[in-house]
Amino acid sequence: MVNLHACFDKAGDLAKSLAHAGDEIANGSEVQISVTAEGQAQTLDPMAMDEIYCIGREAMVNAIRHSKGRSVEVEVDYAAWELRLRIRDDGRGIDPNILQSGRAGHIGLAVMRERAERIGGNWISSAGQMQGRKLN
């Protein structure tokens, strides 16, 4: 049985774990995934770390599957009182109606939003046609 809710590899370093996931996700594709970290890595609640990791991993998978872009940038920003995860791609963008309501048969956006809300985070996703997608 696979636990779809336990994603984090428990290494403790979110940026390194996301970089490792990005390497696996991009393997065999032309897409370049870069992961950077700002600030001092912090110890977070294990559930929060797992949810943030899953959001980042799902966003990278979605970018490769749907954006038709060439690059995905992942930023982990450790600030004094918050952790911010930003994911951007240079792809074709996404219809704002799909961002708002989702797409029939696809649950990725809704699950990422749910994960952020579950740990008290804010979910901000923006995109325009031919502008790629940005997720905070």
Short mmCIF file of all heavy atoms in Angstrom, two decimals, residues 52-95:
data_model
loop_
_atom_site.label_atom_id
_atom_site.label_comp_id
_atom_site.label_asym_id
_atom_site.label_seq_id
_atom_site.Cartn_x
_atom_site.Cartn_y
_atom_site.Cartn_z
N ILE A 52 5.09 20.81 2.49
CA ILE A 52 5.81 21.75 1.62
C ILE A 52 6.57 20.99 0.55
O ILE A 52 6.57 21.37 -0.63
CB ILE A 52 6.74 22.64 2.46
CG1 ILE A 52 5.91 23.53 3.40
CG2 ILE A 52 7.63 23.50 1.56
CD1 ILE A 52 6.72 24.16 4.51
N TYR A 53 7.23 19.91 0.93
CA TYR A 53 7.94 19.08 -0.04
C TYR A 53 6.98 18.55 -1.11
O TYR A 53 7.28 18.60 -2.31
CB TYR A 53 8.64 17.92 0.68
CG TYR A 53 9.26 16.92 -0.27
CD1 TYR A 53 10.53 17.14 -0.80
CD2 TYR A 53 8.59 15.76 -0.64
CE1 TYR A 53 11.10 16.24 -1.67
CE2 TYR A 53 9.14 14.85 -1.50
CZ TYR A 53 10.41 15.09 -2.02
OH TYR A 53 10.97 14.19 -2.89
N CYS A 54 5.83 18.06 -0.69
CA CYS A 54 4.86 17.51 -1.64
C CYS A 54 4.35 18.59 -2.60
O CYS A 54 4.17 18.31 -3.79
CB CYS A 54 3.69 16.87 -0.90
SG CYS A 54 4.14 15.36 -0.02
N ILE A 55 4.13 19.80 -2.09
CA ILE A 55 3.71 20.90 -2.95
C ILE A 55 4.78 21.16 -4.00
O ILE A 55 4.49 21.27 -5.20
CB ILE A 55 3.43 22.16 -2.12
CG1 ILE A 55 2.18 21.99 -1.27
CG2 ILE A 55 3.29 23.39 -3.04
CD1 ILE A 55 2.01 23.06 -0.20
N GLY A 56 6.03 21.26 -3.57
CA GLY A 56 7.12 21.52 -4.51
C GLY A 56 7.28 20.42 -5.55
O GLY A 56 7.44 20.70 -6.74
N ARG A 57 7.19 19.19 -5.10
CA ARG A 57 7.34 18.06 -6.03
C ARG A 57 6.21 18.05 -7.05
O ARG A 57 6.44 17.89 -8.25
CB ARG A 57 7.38 16.75 -5.24
CG ARG A 57 7.72 15.56 -6.09
CD ARG A 57 7.84 14.29 -5.25
NE ARG A 57 8.49 13.25 -5.99
CZ ARG A 57 8.02 12.69 -7.11
NH1 ARG A 57 6.89 13.10 -7.63
NH2 ARG A 57 8.68 11.72 -7.71
N GLU A 58 4.98 18.24 -6.59
CA GLU A 58 3.83 18.25 -7.50
C GLU A 58 3.94 19.39 -8.49
O GLU A 58 3.63 19.23 -9.67
CB GLU A 58 2.53 18.35 -6.70
CG GLU A 58 1.28 18.39 -7.55
CD GLU A 58 0.96 17.08 -8.25
OE1 GLU A 58 1.47 16.03 -7.86
OE2 GLU A 58 0.17 17.13 -9.22
N ALA A 59 4.39 20.56 -8.03
CA ALA A 59 4.54 21.70 -8.94
C ALA A 59 5.58 21.42 -10.02
O ALA A 59 5.38 21.78 -11.19
CB ALA A 59 4.90 22.95 -8.14
N MET A 60 6.68 20.76 -9.66
CA MET A 60 7.69 20.41 -10.66
C MET A 60 7.14 19.41 -11.66
O MET A 60 7.36 19.54 -12.88
CB MET A 60 8.95 19.88 -9.99
CG MET A 60 9.75 20.93 -9.24
SD MET A 60 11.33 20.32 -8.60
CE MET A 60 10.81 19.39 -7.15
N VAL A 61 6.43 18.40 -11.17
CA VAL A 61 5.83 17.41 -12.07
C VAL A 61 4.86 18.08 -13.03
O VAL A 61 4.89 17.84 -14.24
CB VAL A 61 5.13 16.30 -11.26
CG1 VAL A 61 4.25 15.43 -12.14
CG2 VAL A 61 6.15 15.44 -10.52
N ASN A 62 4.01 18.95 -12.50
CA ASN A 62 3.04 19.65 -13.35
C ASN A 62 3.73 20.51 -14.40
O ASN A 62 3.30 20.55 -15.55
CB ASN A 62 2.11 20.52 -12.51
CG ASN A 62 1.08 19.72 -11.76
OD1 ASN A 62 0.91 18.53 -11.98
ND2 ASN A 62 0.38 20.39 -10.86
N ALA A 63 4.81 21.19 -14.02
CA ALA A 63 5.52 22.04 -14.97
C ALA A 63 6.08 21.21 -16.12
O ALA A 63 5.98 21.60 -17.29
CB ALA A 63 6.64 22.79 -14.26
N ILE A 64 6.64 20.06 -15.81
CA ILE A 64 7.20 19.22 -16.88
C ILE A 64 6.09 18.64 -17.75
O ILE A 64 6.20 18.60 -18.97
CB ILE A 64 8.11 18.13 -16.29
CG1 ILE A 64 9.37 18.80 -15.78
CG2 ILE A 64 8.39 17.04 -17.31
CD1 ILE A 64 10.50 17.91 -15.44
N ARG A 65 5.01 18.20 -17.14
CA ARG A 65 3.92 17.58 -17.90
C ARG A 65 3.13 18.56 -18.77
O ARG A 65 2.70 18.22 -19.85
CB ARG A 65 2.93 16.91 -16.95
CG ARG A 65 3.38 15.61 -16.43
CD ARG A 65 2.27 14.94 -15.66
NE ARG A 65 2.75 13.73 -15.03
CZ ARG A 65 2.24 13.21 -13.95
NH1 ARG A 65 1.20 13.77 -13.36
NH2 ARG A 65 2.74 12.11 -13.43
N HIS A 66 2.91 19.77 -18.24
CA HIS A 66 1.92 20.64 -18.87
C HIS A 66 2.45 21.94 -19.46
O HIS A 66 1.81 22.50 -20.35
CB HIS A 66 0.82 20.99 -17.86
CG HIS A 66 0.15 19.80 -17.27
ND1 HIS A 66 -0.58 18.89 -18.02
CD2 HIS A 66 0.10 19.34 -15.99
CE1 HIS A 66 -1.05 17.94 -17.23
NE2 HIS A 66 -0.65 18.19 -16.00
N SER A 67 3.58 22.46 -19.00
CA SER A 67 3.96 23.82 -19.39
C SER A 67 4.61 23.93 -20.76
O SER A 67 4.58 24.98 -21.38
CB SER A 67 4.91 24.43 -18.35
OG SER A 67 6.23 23.97 -18.53
N LYS A 68 5.24 22.85 -21.21
CA LYS A 68 6.02 22.87 -22.45
C LYS A 68 7.16 23.88 -22.38
O LYS A 68 7.62 24.39 -23.40
CB LYS A 68 5.13 23.13 -23.67
CG LYS A 68 4.08 22.06 -23.87
CD LYS A 68 3.48 22.14 -25.24
CE LYS A 68 2.33 21.20 -25.45
NZ LYS A 68 2.53 19.83 -25.24
N GLY A 69 7.61 24.17 -21.16
CA GLY A 69 8.73 25.09 -20.97
C GLY A 69 10.06 24.35 -20.99
O GLY A 69 10.12 23.13 -21.12
N ARG A 70 11.13 25.12 -20.85
CA ARG A 70 12.47 24.55 -20.85
C ARG A 70 13.14 24.60 -19.49
O ARG A 70 14.14 23.94 -19.28
CB ARG A 70 13.34 25.27 -21.86
CG ARG A 70 12.89 25.02 -23.29
CD ARG A 70 13.67 25.88 -24.21
NE ARG A 70 13.38 27.26 -23.78
CZ ARG A 70 13.53 28.33 -24.51
NH1 ARG A 70 13.99 28.25 -25.70
NH2 ARG A 70 13.22 29.52 -24.04
N SER A 71 12.59 25.42 -18.58
CA SER A 71 13.22 25.51 -17.27
C SER A 71 12.19 25.71 -16.16
O SER A 71 11.13 26.29 -16.37
CB SER A 71 14.24 26.66 -17.24
OG SER A 71 13.58 27.90 -17.34
N VAL A 72 12.55 25.20 -15.00
CA VAL A 72 11.76 25.35 -13.79
C VAL A 72 12.72 25.84 -12.71
O VAL A 72 13.79 25.25 -12.52
CB VAL A 72 11.11 24.02 -13.35
CG1 VAL A 72 10.32 24.20 -12.06
CG2 VAL A 72 10.23 23.45 -14.45
N GLU A 73 12.34 26.93 -12.05
CA GLU A 73 13.14 27.46 -10.96
C GLU A 73 12.40 27.25 -9.65
O GLU A 73 11.23 27.61 -9.53
CB GLU A 73 13.39 28.96 -11.14
CG GLU A 73 14.17 29.29 -12.38
CD GLU A 73 14.25 30.79 -12.61
OE1 GLU A 73 13.63 31.57 -11.84
OE2 GLU A 73 14.92 31.18 -13.57
N VAL A 74 13.09 26.67 -8.69
CA VAL A 74 12.52 26.44 -7.36
C VAL A 74 13.37 27.22 -6.37
O VAL A 74 14.60 27.07 -6.36
CB VAL A 74 12.53 24.94 -7.00
CG1 VAL A 74 11.98 24.71 -5.61
CG2 VAL A 74 11.76 24.14 -8.04
N GLU A 75 12.72 28.05 -5.57
CA GLU A 75 13.43 28.83 -4.55
C GLU A 75 12.85 28.48 -3.18
O GLU A 75 11.64 28.54 -2.99
CB GLU A 75 13.26 30.32 -4.78
CG GLU A 75 13.81 30.81 -6.08
CD GLU A 75 13.47 32.27 -6.33
OE1 GLU A 75 13.05 32.98 -5.39
OE2 GLU A 75 13.61 32.70 -7.47
N VAL A 76 13.73 28.15 -2.25
CA VAL A 76 13.35 27.94 -0.86
C VAL A 76 13.95 29.11 -0.10
O VAL A 76 15.17 29.27 -0.07
CB VAL A 76 13.89 26.60 -0.32
CG1 VAL A 76 13.51 26.42 1.14
CG2 VAL A 76 13.39 25.43 -1.16
N ASP A 77 13.10 29.92 0.49
CA ASP A 77 13.55 31.13 1.18
C ASP A 77 13.23 30.99 2.67
O ASP A 77 12.07 31.00 3.07
CB ASP A 77 12.84 32.35 0.59
CG ASP A 77 13.30 33.66 1.20
OD1 ASP A 77 14.27 33.66 1.99
OD2 ASP A 77 12.69 34.70 0.88
N TYR A 78 14.30 30.82 3.47
CA TYR A 78 14.15 30.72 4.91
C TYR A 78 14.27 32.13 5.49
O TYR A 78 15.36 32.68 5.58
CB TYR A 78 15.26 29.85 5.51
CG TYR A 78 15.24 28.42 5.07
CD1 TYR A 78 16.07 27.96 4.07
CD2 TYR A 78 14.40 27.50 5.70
CE1 TYR A 78 16.07 26.63 3.69
CE2 TYR A 78 14.38 26.17 5.32
CZ TYR A 78 15.23 25.74 4.31
OH TYR A 78 15.22 24.43 3.94
N ALA A 79 13.16 32.73 5.84
CA ALA A 79 13.16 34.03 6.48
C ALA A 79 13.04 33.82 8.00
O ALA A 79 12.82 32.70 8.47
CB ALA A 79 12.00 34.88 5.95
N ALA A 80 13.16 34.91 8.75
CA ALA A 80 13.15 34.79 10.21
C ALA A 80 11.88 34.13 10.74
O ALA A 80 11.94 33.28 11.63
CB ALA A 80 13.32 36.17 10.84
N TRP A 81 10.72 34.46 10.20
CA TRP A 81 9.45 33.97 10.75
C TRP A 81 8.62 33.20 9.74
O TRP A 81 7.45 32.91 9.98
CB TRP A 81 8.62 35.13 11.30
CG TRP A 81 9.35 35.80 12.41
CD1 TRP A 81 10.01 36.99 12.34
CD2 TRP A 81 9.54 35.31 13.73
NE1 TRP A 81 10.59 37.27 13.54
CE2 TRP A 81 10.32 36.25 14.42
CE3 TRP A 81 9.15 34.16 14.40
CZ2 TRP A 81 10.70 36.09 15.74
CZ3 TRP A 81 9.53 34.01 15.72
CH2 TRP A 81 10.29 34.96 16.38
N GLU A 82 9.20 32.88 8.60
CA GLU A 82 8.42 32.14 7.61
C GLU A 82 9.35 31.39 6.67
O GLU A 82 10.53 31.70 6.57
CB GLU A 82 7.52 33.08 6.81
CG GLU A 82 8.27 34.03 5.91
CD GLU A 82 7.37 34.98 5.15
OE1 GLU A 82 6.14 34.90 5.27
OE2 GLU A 82 7.91 35.83 4.43
N LEU A 83 8.77 30.45 6.00
CA LEU A 83 9.46 29.75 4.92
C LEU A 83 8.63 30.01 3.67
O LEU A 83 7.41 29.88 3.69
CB LEU A 83 9.53 28.25 5.19
CG LEU A 83 10.21 27.50 4.05
CD1 LEU A 83 11.34 26.66 4.57
CD2 LEU A 83 9.20 26.65 3.32
N ARG A 84 9.29 30.40 2.61
CA ARG A 84 8.58 30.69 1.37
C ARG A 84 9.14 29.76 0.29
O ARG A 84 10.35 29.65 0.12
CB ARG A 84 8.80 32.15 0.98
CG ARG A 84 7.92 32.57 -0.17
CD ARG A 84 8.03 34.05 -0.41
NE ARG A 84 7.45 34.77 0.71
CZ ARG A 84 7.84 35.97 1.10
NH1 ARG A 84 8.82 36.58 0.49
NH2 ARG A 84 7.24 36.56 2.12
N LEU A 85 8.25 29.10 -0.41
CA LEU A 85 8.61 28.24 -1.53
C LEU A 85 8.04 28.87 -2.79
O LEU A 85 6.84 29.14 -2.87
CB LEU A 85 8.01 26.84 -1.33
CG LEU A 85 8.20 25.84 -2.47
CD1 LEU A 85 9.68 25.49 -2.64
CD2 LEU A 85 7.39 24.57 -2.20
N ARG A 86 8.91 29.13 -3.76
CA ARG A 86 8.47 29.71 -5.04
C ARG A 86 8.88 28.76 -6.15
O ARG A 86 10.02 28.30 -6.18
CB ARG A 86 9.15 31.06 -5.29
CG ARG A 86 8.72 32.16 -4.41
CD ARG A 86 9.42 33.46 -4.85
NE ARG A 86 9.25 34.47 -3.85
CZ ARG A 86 10.12 34.74 -2.89
NH1 ARG A 86 11.25 34.07 -2.81
NH2 ARG A 86 9.87 35.69 -2.01
N ILE A 87 7.97 28.52 -7.05
CA ILE A 87 8.25 27.69 -8.22
C ILE A 87 7.80 28.46 -9.44
O ILE A 87 6.67 28.94 -9.50
CB ILE A 87 7.53 26.33 -8.15
CG1 ILE A 87 8.04 25.54 -6.95
CG2 ILE A 87 7.79 25.52 -9.41
CD1 ILE A 87 7.05 25.27 -5.92
N ARG A 88 8.70 28.61 -10.42
CA ARG A 88 8.39 29.31 -11.66
C ARG A 88 8.84 28.46 -12.84
O ARG A 88 9.87 27.80 -12.76
CB ARG A 88 9.15 30.64 -11.73
CG ARG A 88 8.64 31.71 -10.85
CD ARG A 88 9.45 32.97 -11.10
NE ARG A 88 10.71 32.87 -10.41
CZ ARG A 88 11.06 33.61 -9.37
NH1 ARG A 88 10.27 34.54 -8.93
NH2 ARG A 88 12.20 33.44 -8.79
N ASP A 89 8.08 28.53 -13.90
CA ASP A 89 8.51 27.90 -15.14
C ASP A 89 8.39 28.92 -16.26
O ASP A 89 7.73 29.94 -16.12
CB ASP A 89 7.74 26.61 -15.43
CG ASP A 89 6.28 26.84 -15.75
OD1 ASP A 89 5.98 27.49 -16.77
OD2 ASP A 89 5.42 26.35 -14.98
N ASP A 90 9.04 28.64 -17.37
CA ASP A 90 9.00 29.54 -18.52
C ASP A 90 8.10 29.00 -19.62
O ASP A 90 8.29 29.30 -20.79
CB ASP A 90 10.41 29.79 -19.06
CG ASP A 90 11.07 28.54 -19.61
OD1 ASP A 90 10.52 27.43 -19.43
OD2 ASP A 90 12.14 28.66 -20.22
N GLY A 91 7.11 28.24 -19.23
CA GLY A 91 6.24 27.58 -20.20
C GLY A 91 5.12 28.47 -20.72
O GLY A 91 5.14 29.69 -20.57
N ARG A 92 4.14 27.83 -21.28
CA ARG A 92 3.07 28.51 -21.99
C ARG A 92 2.00 29.12 -21.09
O ARG A 92 1.07 29.76 -21.56
CB ARG A 92 2.41 27.54 -22.97
CG ARG A 92 1.74 26.37 -22.28
CD ARG A 92 1.19 25.42 -23.28
NE ARG A 92 0.65 24.26 -22.58
CZ ARG A 92 -0.09 23.37 -23.14
NH1 ARG A 92 -0.40 23.49 -24.41
NH2 ARG A 92 -0.54 22.35 -22.45
N GLY A 93 2.12 28.93 -19.81
CA GLY A 93 1.12 29.49 -18.89
C GLY A 93 -0.07 28.56 -18.75
O GLY A 93 -0.12 27.47 -19.32
N ILE A 94 -1.00 29.00 -17.97
CA ILE A 94 -2.19 28.20 -17.70
C ILE A 94 -3.39 29.13 -17.71
O ILE A 94 -3.30 30.27 -17.25
CB ILE A 94 -2.05 27.43 -16.36
CG1 ILE A 94 -3.22 26.49 -16.13
CG2 ILE A 94 -1.87 28.38 -15.21
CD1 ILE A 94 -3.01 25.55 -14.94
N ASP A 95 -4.46 28.66 -18.22
CA ASP A 95 -5.68 29.45 -18.27
C ASP A 95 -6.10 29.84 -16.85
O ASP A 95 -6.18 28.98 -15.97
CB ASP A 95 -6.78 28.61 -18.94
CG ASP A 95 -8.06 29.36 -19.13
OD1 ASP A 95 -8.62 29.84 -18.13
OD2 ASP A 95 -8.52 29.44 -20.28
#
